[in-house]
Every structure is written in structure tokens, then in C-alpha cells.
Amino acid sequence: MESCPSVKNILLLDSEGSRVAVKYYSDDWPNKSAKEAFEKTVFTKTQKANARAEVEIAVFENHIVVYKFVQDLHFFVTGAEDENELMLATVLQGFFDAVGLLLRGNVDKKEALENLDLILLSLDEIVDGGIILETDANVIAGKVASHSIDLDAPLSEQTISQALATAREHLTRSLLN
Amino acid sequence: MAQPLVKKDDDRDDEADYSPFLGIEKGAVLQEARVFNDPQLDPRRCSQVITKLLYLLNQGETFTKVEATEVFFAVTKLFQSRDIGLRRMVYVMIKELSPSADEVIIVTSSLMKDMTSKTDMYRANAIRVLCRITDGTLLTQIERYLKQAIVDKNPVVASAALVSGIHLLQTNPEIVKRWSNEVQEAVQSRAALVQFHALALLHQIRQNDRLAVNKLVSSLTRGSVRSPLAQCLLIRYTSQVIRESANNTQTGDRPFYDFLEGCLRHKAEMVIFEAARAITELNGVTSRELTPAITVLQLFLSSSKPVLRFAAVRTLNKVAMTHPMAVTNCNIDMESLISDQNRSIATLAITTLLKTGNESSVDRLMKQITNFMSDIADEFKIVVVEAIRSLCLKFPLKHRSLMNFLSNILREEGGFEYKKAIVDSIVILIRDIPEAKDSGLLHLCEFIEDCEFTYLSTQILHFLGIEGPKTSDPSKYIRYIYNRVHLENATVRAGAVSTLAKFGAMVDALKPRIFVLLRRCLFDNDDEVRDRATLYLNTLGGNGAVVETGEDVKEFLFGSLDIPLVNLENSLKNYEPSEESFDINSVPKEVKTQPLAEKKAPGKKPTGLGGPPTGPPSTVDTYEKLLSSIPEFANFGKLFKSSAPVELTEAETEYAVNVVKHIFDGHVVFQYNCTNTIPEQLLENVTVIVDASEAEEFAEVASKPLRSLPYDSPGQTFVAFEKPEGVPAVGKFSNMLRFIVKEVDPSTGEAEDDGVEDEYQLEELEVVAADYMLKVGVSNFRNAWESMGADFERVDEYGLGPRDNLAEAVNAVINLLGMQPCEGTEVVPNSSRSHTCLLSGVYIGNVMVLVRLQFGIDGPKDVAMKLAVRSEDEAVSDAIHEIVASG
């Protein structure tokens, strides 16, 4: 057994199996076609699963894959066959929740692509070269947001959806208080 | 050179599918990257361009070397901006571009500045980037900062340094090992993840020092670990310590078991599971030790989380293989999992039940499985089929319902692997359960009536040819077989013809009818089918008379081919048509093993001098070619066997030498493979001086020196000995490497003219009895054993003295005899008290030898062995006993 737990890849695919963002940490998939073949298998074999409430799990090509879906986004985390399944699920949940926080609850493909920088930065904060760096969604989102959201940016430069999201957040906050 | 945006029309079809990257194009983005060079940087714009570049890379787009360099240089300009968000993207971009060594220098100073910055985020990220792209030389410069960072009060900085340390340990272990003190301090950190990273690094630094790991584990298990991840690590290290200490302390309680059991009450599920799994994987775990682990896993089975259920059922499934009784308590929970939404969980549950179930529950289970088979994937079906096969072997009385199940699923849709698994299972059941033979063969016959896989059809026809004639009513199979001749492709038709011939040969009463059928095949439109029919008609005496089939005909039809097919293929390829016809006896019988991975010379640079290293050839026929190309050895006759290389030097010495022993009928040739690992030396006239005073029957006849041995390109020198023909002479040889050494200027690679004679002592080498034995496998040991007959059987018993376990004793005897283990019998199940091992081989003089070894543990540790040898020659059977008696 790998004595240090490790993540082999993190995939974020859309509802057709195309990449939104992916990150590979192991050389089990040496080239683009091997990666795409793996993504295709994983996507098609999990497509019908209901992984919206709970993290689901499956084994593909001697790898453990945990996955969770929301709207038209499919989140996957892959580890070695003998990896602790719960550890992988924790990584997935951390990524999933961090993206949720960063996209302020509007988690879908459009929003994800518009904020791709945030997604890529959270991937960078979760795993470093296969080693788990952080799994707490609040910490991950905090690290990404603190240096990405430019508070001084004029409203006109924000995209409409961002503006809407900001407005919605303000509204919720005022309602809650 | 702005390029038009190329858009695919169908991308526009769906308005909802709008993406900010729609129609993105590499050339255009690379153009956009010029904004990085603007004197007035717009951080927002630059961030967007980097995101686009990263998007392209993420989609699998690649940059050419030139493009990557250009982007890299442009990105380095962005260090001028003080925008935090942009800097963050720059870090990610640099890591993605993985710049080459000369490019790294450009960013080093910027990164080093960030590394000493007051902003924690800068420090943490700069460390990660620098360590990712740096090489060893730079590392010594920044080592001081890294050591500080490890004990930094900001956990993000500390983690960044520790994780980088874990990566760097692979490439620069000697530097990272110097950080032990700081890492040790970090293990005590109050921040959960710092502790996790520190523990991982500390263990990797010390992993080769058993005592240190032991100390680490015993101090930490007393409880100061906070993070669940770190706790999981500790559990892994603990079980490693337990595994390694198990050999020493056989008696008494297992050390650290209490710690593992305590972890079962941890609040994090991750830790509970890790501990439970660690307990189930303990060597020779007792049922008392297992119970608490099984109890928590059982609780997980009814969790609402699929991941938890999966983890638990997968672990229990493994336990069920070795301790089925321990898992029976979970059967009720398992049964409810059969209908689990997640099919992986359902399959694991059902196969676990098949392993733990008793005879009475088989029928009920089979009913449930039948409902469930239709909606799972093929790979799971295979798992189920395999479970059913082992169940059937366990409860032979249930063969009827299990065989029915197999034949039912055989009729349903399925891919090749799945069908093959079913057919294999039926074949095994037919072999092992005599009562199942008739029904099993009929199921197979029905299957080939409608089988789309040529491979399976021919396999089944072959099997029918062996088993069919031995049944009470062989005639009923003929119809199925002959149907194949009408309806199938040429390959299957040819197979069917052979099968018919086998029936004809074995069952005299059927002969006339078979001849009629075979004669019809003479008009087939395929050559192979016609040829086979003609051949069989002639060998079986197809002129109509009912005659007894001769022994040699039977041998021809049913005898096994005792030559590995690969070897036969090679020999046929090498054969050139000539006066001399192809002789099957010239095909080497040695089973080829994977060529031993060549030991890399220590300190070897990837840029090998003088082209790729010409490694010594290691497979049988390349050896044969090599030896026959040397005139001195050309008249030694056919090469009988070449041993695996035996190292004659310690690893990491100046000269690496290993030897291959080539055995001929009357000669032995030692091939010394030498590697010079000193760049400053050139060796010339390399020979090995062999002292054979402890090998009386051998006399040196020739030696072939190696003219020159430059650095890092292996070469060979040979020494040949004469020995009494056909006699398995043994002896010890001491070796001395003698050569002329010349100094080489490493910068020019030129050698000086004058050399000095020198010698280098090598280790001793032995020719043992096993060198005269070829590893030749037989496909069906029982058949081979019975057909060999007991004429030259020799049986005796031996005491092997105290041994640690049976596996060790079995391996020792296999190695002593140098024979091929058959049917996987070299594997000894854990903690078994007795074992039977089957071996086959060919002894010098081409004598087939079969050995049946029965081992038993006698008393506390004493292993006793019964050795039965059958061979074609009495003297050889005796010789095998002598080997064991003297070994």
C-alpha cells in the first residue's frame, strides 16, 4: 500500500462528459488519449447514477472513483484501488463544497466556466502533486477568494451574473438579519 | 497575423450552452498574451488571459517549445504587478508550464523574494512553485528558508514547505534528510494538516530505519495526533511495524493491537475504517482480534452513505476469503444490500454471501442472484460467476442447481470475457465433480450450437474431444460436433474434425460412423479442414475395417506438446528450407521467464556515453546465437540450459559482474557480464581467472577475453569447461577479474596509452544440480503423472528441520530442484499446516521428470516432506532423490 494517501486525479466534467477542469497527479494516464478514454469511461458508467444527495463510488480500471453531481456538473476524484475510500470522499466533498461557496450556490457549468480561475485555484489548494493539501471547504474557498475577488473592481466590470449573485447575496443577508 | 475565430456551427445551436470560451483559439490567445508586456499592466485583463491559457492547457491543447517559452517569458513580466489575484494565477501558470532549467533562472529571484515576503500567501505559494521547478543546485541556496518555513507559525506556509519536502525527497533525499529536526517539531504542531504533512515526511525520511519508525510509532500512539488524516497515516505505519515485528515475537500479545482497537472508537469515520481494515489485514489475525473490527464494519453496512457501505462490504468481502465464519454475523445486513442502488455494493454483498453461506442457503441465494444478474455490468457478472464456481467446488452436492444457473446465464447476452468465465467455470466443474460431467458437457454442446466466439467454440470442441469419449454414451455428442462442420467458419470446422477423430480413436464402436463423417469433410472448401480429415483418416486406418487404434496414433492425437509454443514459433521462424527437415527435438524446451531487469550501474547518467548500453542478451535463443557465433564453443553441441544471471559483486562496487551458466552435454560455459562503473577508467584485455580446484570433474578448455570495457557499456568474457558427458557434475569455482586499467580524461573521453595490470576479487560461483534441470511445465499434471506410470517411481520421506513456515520450506525445495511448479501449487495459503506441491521439468539427457511433494508441519516447527518422483529413467528418479538428500 502507498503509505502516504494520494489522489490520482480530480475531474470536473459537464453533462456531456466534456472537460470543465481536470487535474492529473499520477502518470497512470501517460497521454491525452489515455486521459480522455478514462474520462469517457468514468462519465458514461456513472451517468445514470443518482449522485446528487450523497457521494457515490465505483471502481474503474483498478481505480477507486468517488463522484458527486450537481446541476450539469459532474465532480470526480480518483485514487488507487487500495486507497481509503473515505479519504477520497473527503477530498471530493471539500472540492465540491468549496466550489459551491465560491460560486455562491449557483453551481452549474456556465457559472463554473465564467469563474474558471476560481475553480483552478481551488484545485491548486486542495491537492499538491497528489498529496492532500486541505479538505476543509471553508478554508479552501477562503484561500482562493481572499486573493481573487478584487473588491475595488467597479461594478460595471463585473459580469451580469456576478452582479446578480452579489445582489442576491446582499438581499439574503438583509433578510436574515 | 491575427487569425479569424473558427467556430463550429453546432456549438451555437443551444443558447443555454453559452460559454465564455466559445470559439477560443490558441493562436488568438497567444496574441492576447502580449498584454503581459505592456508597461502599464492591467491586472484584470492579464488574469483573464492567463485563465484562457490555462483553459486551453486543461482542454488538452499543447504548446510548442517556442510557444511555451514565449508565454513563460511574458508571464515572468507579471511579477511587476502587485495585484494579489494576478500573482496567484501566475504561480499556477508557471507550474503548468514546467519551464526548463535555463528558464527557471529567470523567475528564481522573483520567487525567492516572494518566499521571504511578509504576506503568508506569497510565502506559501512561492515555496510550492520553487520546489516544483527547481533542481538540486538551487535547493541548497533556499534550504535555509525552507527549514524556517517548516516551523513557520502560519500553517499554510508550514504545509507548503512540508509537502514540497515530500516531493523533493524523491529527487534530493540527502538535502531533505537534513531537515529532520524541524520536521519533528512540526509533527507536534497544533494545526491538523501540518501534523499530517509532517508525519508523512518524517516517516518517509526514516522509512528505511526500522528502529526509528518503531520509536516514532510508539511515541505517537500514546496520543497526541489531532488530525484524522494524520491518525490514518499513523495506523498505516503501525500496521507496518506490526508486520515487521511479527517474525520476531511469535508468542504473546501483538504489540500495538490495543492502539488499533482504540482507533475503532475514534470520532472520524475515516479513522475507524482505516483501523478496521488494518486489523483485518493483520498477518494470521485471530477471530478474537477480528471481532471488534467486524462489528464496526457491520454498522457501516447500514449507513446512508454509499461510500461507507462500499468500503465496509469490500473489506468484509476480503475477510470472507480467509475467515468466512467471522463474517457470517453480517449476513442479514449483507442480504439487504443485494438490492442496493449502487451495483458495485450489491455485487460485493452477493459474492460475500456466496463465500460465507452454508449449503442450505445456496438455493435461496441463487434465486436472488438470478433476478439481479440482468441489470449489472459484465465485469460484475464475472465476479459472480467466479464466486459461484468456488461455491460449487465447496458444496459439490449442489452442483445441479449451480450448473443450471451457469447454463442459463450462458444462454443470455454477454461479452466474450463474461462467456469465457462461464465456460471456464463449467469446464472446471466437469473436471472436479464427476457427477456433473454429463450435464455439463451437454450444456457446452448446446452453447456451441449458437456461439458467436470462434475461440470459445474451438476450446469447447477440444475439451469435448478429451472428455466426451470417456462418458457412458459418447455417441450423443457426435451430432453436435458434426453440426459444426456444416455451419461454422473454417477454424471451428477444423476443430470439429479433430474432435470427431478423437472420438473415432477412443471409441472403437463408433469408428465406422466417424469415418463416414470424416470422408464427407474431404470435400470441404478449406485446405486445413481437408488436410486434417485426410490425416486422421489415414492415421486411424480409415479403409473401413474396425481396427484397434495403435498406441503411437493415440499418442499423436492426444499426447501433449511438451514444448512451449513461443519457442516452437521462434524455431520455425528461424528454420530455412533445406535438405534437412525441421527437427522438433531441436526446439528449446526451457520455459522463458521474464528477462531479469538489468541492474543499473550506480551513478549512471541518463545521457549514456557511446550510445545506448548494449545489455547482455538474456533469453534462451539469443544466448544460443551468441554462443554459436564464438568459434571456440561452436562444437559443444546443443545448448541445454542457461541459468539466470548470478551477481558476483556487491551492488555499487567499481565493477559490476554477473555470470550466466550455460550447460551443454559435455561442457559448461560461464558468461561473465561485466560493467565498468568508473568514468575515469578504461579496462582492456578483461579476463576472469577461474580456480576450479573445488570442482574436480571440470577442466578448463577455453577462455575468451574481452578486448576493451569502457565506462558504462557492458561487455562479456567467457570461460569454458569440459565435464563428463551427460553427468550432472557439480562444483565450486572461485573467480578473479584480471584486466589492464587505463586512465581516461573524463572531459575528452580519451584514454592514456599506458595501462597497469590489476585484479579484482569476485565472489564464488557454484554449479548445482538444479542447473541440469529445465523448467518445463505440463498443462495437466494429473494426466501427465498417470501417463508416466509408476515404473520408475521413487518415494521417500525427509525431515527438513525447523522452518519459519511452510512457504519457506516449499520455496527452498523448488529452488533446490530448479523445476517448474505446476497449477499454482507453489503458493502456500497462509498458516496452513500441510501442502502439496507439483513440479515438472526436463533433466539433462532430455528426461522428463515429475515430482509430487507433500509437506507437513510436524511438532512445533519441524517440517517433514514426502517426495515422490516419476520419470522416464530410473537413474534420474534416483538422482532427484540424491539432490534432495544432499541439499
Side-chain angles (χ1 to χ4, degrees), chain A residues 1 84, chain B residues 232 234-240 242-243 254 257 259-261 263-264 271-283 285 289-290 293 297 315:
Chain A
M1 192 199 300
N84 184 328
Chain B
C232 287
L234 186 56
I235 291 171
R236 290 186 190 184
Y237 301 156
T238 307
S239 31
Q240 197 183 334
I242 296 178
R243 221 176 8 254
R254 215 187 276 275
Y257 174 79
F259 166 72
L260 292 182
E261 204 204 340
C263 288
L264 295 175
V271 176
I272 302 177
F273 173 66
E274 186 76 39
R277 188 171 70 165
I279 292 177
T280 63
E281 284 170 0
L282 290 175
N283 252 343
V285 63
E289 288 169 322
L290 263 179
L297 290 173
T315 308

Side-chain angles (χ1 to χ4, degrees), chain B residues 391-553:
Chain B
L391 187 69
C392 196
L393 294 176
K394 200 161 109 196
F395 304 123
L397 283 177
K398 288 286 166 196
H399 75 86
R400 204 176 306 276
S401 67
L402 294 170
M403 190 65 103
N404 264 334
F405 174 81
L406 289 176
S407 73
N408 280 334
I409 55 173
L410 192 54
R411 272 186 229 117
E412 280 158 21
E413 285 294 298
F416 173 73
E417 290 298 330
Y418 173 44
K419 288 288 164 81
K420 184 169 178 295
I422 305 174
V423 170
D424 286 349
S425 299
I426 295 183
V427 166
I428 289 175
L429 297 187
I430 292 174
R431 273 205 187 133
D432 289 10
I433 306 173
E435 301 83 48
K437 189 186 256 185
D438 271 341
S439 64
L441 285 178
L442 277 175
H443 288 314
L444 291 178
C445 283
E446 274 168 31
F447 173 62
I448 54 171
E449 292 276 88
D450 183 24
C451 169
E452 54 185 311
F453 305 109
T454 301
Y455 175 82
L456 289 180
S457 292
T458 50
Q459 292 285 305
I460 292 174
L461 282 169
H462 176 77
F463 184 68
L464 276 174
I466 295 172
E467 295 293 334
K470 295 187 211 153
T471 55
S472 53
D473 182 13
S475 62
K476 66 181 170 195
Y477 302 105
I478 302 291
R479 179 170 62 88
Y480 294 101
I481 301 165
Y482 188 62
N483 277 345
R484 299 302 99 218
V485 180
H486 283 303
L487 302 166
E488 291 281 359
N489 59 38
T491 315
V492 179
R493 291 204 304 276
V497 167
S498 299
T499 307
L500 284 176
K502 284 180 187 164
F503 274 81
M506 299 289 281
V507 190
D508 289 330
L510 286 177
K511 244 180 196 170
R513 291 157 65 188
I514 296 284
F515 287 150
V516 174
L517 298 176
L518 284 179
R519 272 195 210 101
R520 288 189 198 157
C521 300
L522 290 174
F523 303 101
D524 197 281
N525 54 18
D526 183 82
D527 293 351
E528 172 76 20
V529 179
R530 286 197 308 274
D531 286 356
R532 284 197 190 192
T534 315
L535 171 70
Y536 293 131
L537 279 170
N538 284 329
T539 46
L540 296 176
N543 43 18
V546 179
V547 286
E548 283 264 328
T549 314
E551 268 311 307
D552 47 343
V553 174

Side-chain angles (χ1 to χ4, degrees), chain A residues 11-22 24 32 35-48 52 69 71-76 109, chain B residues 17 55 58-59:
Chain A
L11 313 174
L12 177 55
L13 307 178
D14 71 5
S15 55
E16 271 141 32
S18 314
R19 286 179 180 177
V20 175
V22 298
Y24 284 83
K32 191 181 169 199
K35 288 176 185 163
E36 282 173 348
F38 180 74
E39 284 160 35
K40 190 162 187 285
T41 315
V42 168
F43 177 78
T44 45
K45 295 263 173 87
T46 58
Q47 206 174 0
K48 290 200 201 102
R52 292 180 187 270
F69 306 155
Q71 303 279 19
D72 52 358
L73 284 178
H74 295 211
F75 293 71
F76 301 90
K109 181 190 173 188
Chain B
D17 228 24
Y55 174 80
N58 224 298
Q59 294 297 315

